[in-house]
Amino acid sequence: MGKKKFKASTVTSLKPKKKCCRKKTRCVKCPVVIMRMKKVQDDGMSEKQLRKHLEKVRAA
């Protein structure tokens, strides 16, 4: 399977999976990742800041 690259700003528009997989590095379509990114979406962050936040959210 190939890996798709997503822009951090478009993660909130993705359709989440049915259930969280709870792996150490969460996938981009994980409902937890999408929920946490939606919280900071409207904070006026730059693309670089969003990408850093996405990495932090996925590692949690």
Side-chain angles (χ1 to χ4, degrees):
M1 275 177 114
K3 291 190 176 195
K4 268 188 163 179
K5 288 272 186 175
F6 291 103
K7 280 188 132 182
S9 56
T10 61
V11 170
T12 56
S13 63
L14 295 174
K15 184 175 184 251
K17 295 188 317 183
K18 198 82 166 164
K19 192 174 181 183
C20 176
C21 56
R22 296 160 137 196
K23 289 186 180 174
K24 184 65 178 161
T25 303
R26 296 182 189 270
C27 60
V28 178
K29 286 188 159 195
C30 180
V32 176
V33 170
I34 292 176
M35 175 197 64
R36 290 181 182 170
M37 288 300 288
K38 279 184 181 179
K39 285 184 179 179
V40 297
Q41 179 186 21
D42 299 326
D43 288 350
M45 291 182 164
S46 67
E47 183 66 31
K48 186 176 181 180
Q49 290 171 319
L50 282 173
R51 190 176 68 244
K52 288 285 185 186
H53 188 75
L54 178 63
E55 288 175 11
K56 183 180 166 189
V57 167
R58 289 186 66 202

